[in-house]
Amino acid sequence: MVALAFLPELWTEILIPVCAVVGIAFSLFQWFIVSRVKVSGDQGASSSGGAKNGYGDYLIEEEEGVNDQSVVAKCAEIQTAISEGATSFLFTEYRYVGVFMVFFAAIIFVFLGSVEGFSTENKPCTYDETKTCKPALATAAFSTIAFILGAVTSVLSGFLGMKIATYANARTTLEARKGVGKAFIVAFRSGAVMGFLLAASGLLVLYITINVFKIYYGDDWEGLFEAITGYGLGGSSMALFGRVGGGIYTKAADVGADLVGKIERNIPEDDPRNPAVIADNVGDNVGDIAGMGSDLFGSYAEASCAALVVASISSFGINHDFTAMCYPLLISSMGILVCLITTLFATDFFEIKAVKEIEPALKNQLIISTAIMTVGIAVVSWVGLPSSFTIFNFGTQKVVQNWQLFLCVCVGLWAGLIIGFVTEYYTSNAYSPVQDVADSCRTGAATNVIFGLALGYKSVIIPIFAIAISIFVSFSFAAMYGVAVAALGMLSTIATGLAIDAYGPISDNAGGIAEMAGMSHRIRERTDALDAAGNTTAAIGKGFAIGSAALVSLALFGAFVSRAGVHTVDVLTPKVIIGLLVGAMLPYWFSAMTMKSVGSAALKMVEEVRRQFNTIPGLMEGTAKPDYATCVKISTDASIKEMIPPGCLVMLTPLIVGFFFGVETLSGVLAGSLVSGVQIAISASNTGGAWDNAKKYIEAGVSEHAKSLGPKGSEPHKAAVIGDTIGDPLKDTSGPSLNILIKLMAVESLVFAPFFATHGGILFKYL
């Protein structure tokens, strides 16, 4: 008798969608609470009861005249300008991306349909030829549908995240008048709206897609879950354009604003006299929010798809054990519930009363969610898996116990936490690495750059060991399925991770609005404290994204070589070694493209900002208003134009290599890009984050050491600003985009594996 999971199939079919709906409901509840903070001049508008969350509290800045009606109206005006700029850019970007989506959907259908010559006859299954499976044409059609669903979900994830962030920024600024704790809660709740909405909607759409496809596929689970891989490809391809386009936009504006405003004109950050200031704040939302949301959605979709593909040809799929088959989705469902409990610790159980409590509160979110999730995974592994089962391992079936799979998920979960804290150590100005970088500014920008680069290279060591140990443990226990669920373990607390990550740009925008609205220095100090903590948590979020991308990419790689019929990848054969070399080069080529794109766009921005300062009378004196719209247009036009070449590089490489050189060379390319891409991504993100926080360390002047390097405008501060400017494209464009490169090429190769196995390698066939 075949051992099945303890949890009945009916309960599985109820629990997964219920958890997803709970997540969506919780995000809407958080949005409702944030909406009670009114952005208007009405004195009573922001008083809606609930003193715990600050809505009924008096304004502690009233005695300074800060609660002036015109200041509140000014906040609303700035918020509208940022929201309109971000919406306009994303609609423009999505028009171009929509054309690509239709074109690439057609390629998927034609290429996969041609595997069996567009036959509508059932065919022998790939892994068990005694059974018949649905025709390749059906896989082509359903893969195309899944691709479109994944792409649309990814786009909506990014867009809704941006709308929430632009809704919350001015509200965070206004709450800062009541104290730093009130502002923190608004920013964090807003981040939670995005985190839960994305995690829950991604799970729900995937679950519904599986059940709808099952109506046609019936018992052909091999074909069903092969078609589902299109969902991951759609999610990640949209994330690529979102990350690259948004990253170019935000950093072109940021670099232009900093170089002319801070260094040449010696005016503060986010000064309303700076023509690039609105574009800079828009960029925070389209790059750090919309791009990041699509990116992490893509990781989640791909990790789920990789696990499901391997499970479908293991005992779960062979025995049609639906509960065990849905183990990856049950992990994500448990993750939503765990993150919901964790969020309450920051918003309801404890109250932030001082600046020094902000960063520990955010870090505690990671620790609490990881600890509770460990228990949650144990429960899911006990009820959702048989005590013993087999996992497909490159042509053989490996016997695995449920406790071994529990350890696979846990090793990914805890590796994510380690990567997060190592990232924090290297990017937070509370620790010596960033303080050393700040100290190097005494002797100018050159030494600052040298110290920052060294820090980035060194910060790679521990995360790589953590990833390596995760891979070894998870593969030893459960082959490539173990690696896939380890990646899901790292992403299981995605709702909390996204909440913490989105909190940063919201706080950054809040500080910008406070500066532009002319609010008191005390309010700006509070928003700066929120922003400084957000900078570190953003770096932690990028660490999670890169670490999970490495595991996801390896899991997809394993699924690809299995589907393409490659039993061993021999690095001593010329076909593979040339692939390794080319694959290792691709992240450098991609980074060069994105870095130069930011540089070119920033050059235009610098020229425009200089022109306005030189030609608009009264701009420096504050009696004239700058032309913000022209700077917004420069960033928009540059990012749309410049995102296309890097996108084509990533999307076309697997198709060209697979078709002309075959699956063995493509295996080498995927392995090479994974190995070099992870290192560059971690290094770039941490170098940029360290430079940014070294600058903030000098500006804040909270210690005697920091005071000796300041104040703003001093030579060490100018050197720190130059380092921060160099680091901007590293941490917000090239670094975060690289994790999409390694995932996207792997999932694309998996989707097209049947085509490459049948028609690939035409050059070697005739040489």
Side-chain angles (χ1 to χ4, degrees):
M1 183 178 171
V2 177
L4 297 177
F6 177 77
L7 189 69
E9 184 176 326
L10 178 64
W11 277 98
T12 305
E13 290 178 347
I14 294 169
L15 280 173
I16 294 172
V18 164
C19 288
V21 170
V22 166
I24 292 169
F26 185 71
S27 72
L28 294 175
F29 174 68
Q30 296 297 322
W31 173 82
F32 169 72
I33 293 175
V34 171
S35 70
R36 290 159 69 189
V37 181
K38 304 298 180 185
V39 183
S40 70
D42 179 13
Q43 278 281 342
S46 70
S47 179
S48 307
K52 168 78 178 160
N53 290 303
Y55 306 115
D57 294 358
Y58 68 95
L59 305 179
I60 61 176
E61 299 299 330
E62 276 185 338
E63 68 275 11
E64 295 184 14
V66 174
N67 192 31
D68 181 57
Q69 300 296 317
S70 63
V71 172
V72 180
K74 184 73 174 170
C75 285
E77 182 190 329
I78 297 162
Q79 180 195 40
T80 303
I82 294 169
S83 180
E84 287 175 355
T87 305
S88 171
F89 166 73
L90 286 181
F91 275 132
T92 306
E93 181 184 69
Y94 293 157
R95 277 203 298 272
Y96 284 85
V97 165
V99 173
F100 160 80
M101 188 167 72
V102 172
F103 173 71
F104 206 78
I107 289 178
I108 293 171
F109 181 75
V110 172
F111 278 33
L112 294 185
S114 69
V115 170
E116 298 282 336
F118 296 97
S119 168
T120 55
E121 300 290 322
N122 285 356
K123 59 181 175 63
C125 295
T126 306
Y127 300 97
D128 184 358
E129 294 188 357
T130 61
K131 296 179 180 177
T132 56
C133 288
K134 299 295 182 183
L137 192 63
T139 303
F142 282 99
S143 293
T144 305
I145 294 166
F147 169 78
I148 293 168
L149 280 171
V152 170
T153 309
S154 181
V155 163
L156 282 174
S157 297
F159 183 76
L160 291 173
M162 179 278 296
K163 293 303 284 183
I164 291 155
T166 54
Y167 182 82
N169 50 18
R171 287 170 168 78
T172 304
T173 307
L174 294 174
E175 284 296 281
R177 297 177 299 166
K178 304 171 186 173
V180 73
K182 313 305 180 202
F184 169 82
I185 285 179
V186 170
F188 188 80
R189 283 192 190 280
S190 306
V193 175
M194 179 187 176
F196 282 92
L197 201 57
L198 187 147
S201 59
L203 173 65
L204 189 62
V205 173
L206 178 58
Y207 180 75
I208 291 170
T209 305
I210 290 169
N211 279 281
V212 171
F213 283 17
K214 207 164 71 159
I215 295 168
Y216 170 78
Y217 277 98
D219 289 339
D220 177 16
W221 284 17
E222 180 189 309
L224 164 63
F225 291 103
E226 191 174 301
I228 288 292
T229 56
Y231 185 73
L233 176 59
S236 229
S237 56
M238 296 302 106
L240 175 70
F241 291 106
R243 265 294 196 193
V244 173
I248 293 168
Y249 185 108
T250 182
K251 291 305 112 180
D254 200 359
V255 170
D258 284 357
L259 283 178
V260 182
K262 287 185 184 175
I263 295 175
E264 294 181 11
R265 296 286 172 166
N266 204 25
I267 59 176
E269 187 166 2
D270 297 316
D271 192 295
R273 294 171 291 176
N274 194 324
V277 71
I278 292 290
D280 186 9
N281 281 282
V282 168
D284 290 335
N285 295 289
V286 298
D288 294 343
I289 296 278
M292 175 197 60
S294 293
D295 178 6
L296 283 176
F297 165 76
S299 285
Y300 162 74
E302 286 161 331
S304 301
C305 291
L308 290 167
V309 165
V310 179
S312 69
I313 51 177
S314 303
S315 64
F316 301 158
I318 295 165
N319 300 329
H320 294 90
D321 184 351
F322 186 74
T323 297
M325 193 71 215
C326 287
Y327 181 65
L329 278 67
L330 288 168
I331 292 171
S332 302
S333 303
M334 177 61 76
I336 290 171
L337 300 181
V338 166
C339 291
L340 191 154
I341 296 165
T342 306
T343 301
L344 299 177
F345 279 89
T347 57
D348 293 89
F349 297 162
F350 300 101
E351 190 173 0
I352 302 289
K353 293 179 180 174
V355 166
K356 64 182 180 182
E357 296 172 10
I358 298 170
E359 206 164 304
L362 294 170
K363 281 160 60 179
N364 286 341
Q365 285 287 295
L366 295 174
I367 296 167
I368 293 165
S369 62
T370 303
I372 301 175
M373 191 62 201
T374 304
V375 178
I377 294 165
V379 172
V380 170
S381 301
W382 178 57
V383 301
L385 293 171
S387 58
S388 180
F389 44 90
T390 62
I391 295 293
F392 184 83
N393 182 25
F394 301 114
T396 62
Q397 292 286 345
K398 179 182 175 72
V399 178
V400 180
Q401 308 294 322
N402 58 3
W403 63 267
Q404 291 176 307
L405 218 49
F406 159 71
L407 290 177
C408 290
V409 184
C410 283
V411 79
L413 176 67
W414 285 92
L417 187 67
I418 290 166
I419 292 169
F421 280 128
V422 169
T423 305
E424 187 222 3
Y425 174 73
Y426 280 105
T427 57
S428 170
N429 56 28
Y431 303 106
S432 60
V434 170
Q435 291 174 11
D436 290 344
V437 171
D439 194 65
S440 71
C441 295
R442 291 180 192 277
T443 48
T447 44
N448 180 29
V449 170
I450 292 166
F451 270 71
L453 288 172
L455 178 148
Y457 298 149
K458 193 176 179 183
S459 70
V460 172
I461 299 168
I462 297 174
I464 291 299
F465 275 117
I467 292 167
I469 292 166
S470 300
I471 291 168
F472 180 79
V473 172
S474 55
F475 189 88
S476 299
F477 281 148
M480 279 300 176
Y481 186 75
V483 178
V485 294
L488 273 170
M490 202 176 278
L491 292 164
S492 59
T493 54
I494 188 173
T496 294
L498 270 168
I500 292 170
D501 222 338
Y503 155 89
I506 292 168
S507 300
D508 193 0
N509 261 204
I513 291 170
E515 184 74 41
M516 285 185 274
M519 299 174 90
S520 82
H521 73 281
R522 287 176 63 187
I523 291 177
R524 182 69 214 225
E525 281 172 7
R526 289 177 197 143
T527 56
D528 280 352
L530 294 171
D531 182 26
N535 258 335
T536 302
T537 55
I540 292 171
K542 290 185 182 91
F544 263 98
I546 295 163
S548 62
L551 294 176
V552 168
S553 179
L554 184 61
L556 291 165
F557 175 75
F560 161 71
V561 293
S562 298
R563 182 61 189 87
V566 180
H567 295 297
T568 55
V569 180
D570 187 354
V571 296
L572 297 177
T573 58
K575 287 182 184 178
V576 175
I577 200 86
I578 61 170
L580 279 170
L581 288 169
V582 171
M585 172 273 296
L586 286 174
Y588 291 93
W589 189 0
F590 180 84
S591 297
M593 281 181 162
T594 51
M595 292 283 285
K596 192 173 179 186
S597 296
V598 171
S600 302
L603 196 63
K604 293 174 188 168
M605 187 67 75
V606 166
E607 288 170 354
E608 173 59 23
V609 174
R610 278 178 182 158
R611 183 195 68 77
Q612 291 198 32
F613 273 121
N614 292 332
T615 59
I616 299 178
L619 184 56
M620 271 301 288
E621 293 74 27
T623 56
K625 199 174 179 182
D627 179 9
Y628 297 127
T630 302
C631 292
V632 170
K633 188 175 187 305
I634 287 171
S635 265
T636 302
D637 293 347
S639 56
I640 297 297
K641 177 187 167 190
E642 299 286 353
M643 76 178 181
I644 295 168
C648 290
L649 173 70
V650 177
M651 298 301 293
L652 295 179
T653 297
L655 294 178
I656 292 168
V657 174
F659 182 64
F660 287 105
F661 299 95
V663 290
E664 287 181 314
T665 306
L666 182 53
S667 299
V669 169
L670 296 178
S673 64
L674 167 60
V675 169
S676 78
V678 171
Q679 326 274 344
I680 303 168
I682 295 172
S683 171
S685 294
N686 290 349
T687 292
W691 276 328
D692 190 357
N693 275 341
K695 177 202 71 176
K696 284 187 163 58
Y697 176 73
I698 295 171
E699 289 175 348
V702 291
S703 67
E704 289 303 317
H705 176 243
K707 286 174 186 171
S708 71
L709 297 168
K712 289 183 182 180
S714 67
E715 289 306 313
H717 179 250
K718 285 182 179 177
V721 171
I722 290 169
D724 176 37
T725 308
I726 297 168
D728 276 338
L730 285 171
K731 73 178 172 67
D732 290 323
T733 310
S734 297
S737 302
L738 278 172
N739 62 62
I740 303 176
L741 174 142
I742 60 176
K743 293 181 304 182
L744 182 51
M745 292 208 306
V747 74
E748 187 180 343
S749 301
L750 173 58
V751 170
F752 286 100
F755 175 78
F756 296 147
T758 308
H759 301 299
I762 60 168
L763 280 184
F764 289 134
K765 284 177 184 174
Y766 301 109
L767 286 178

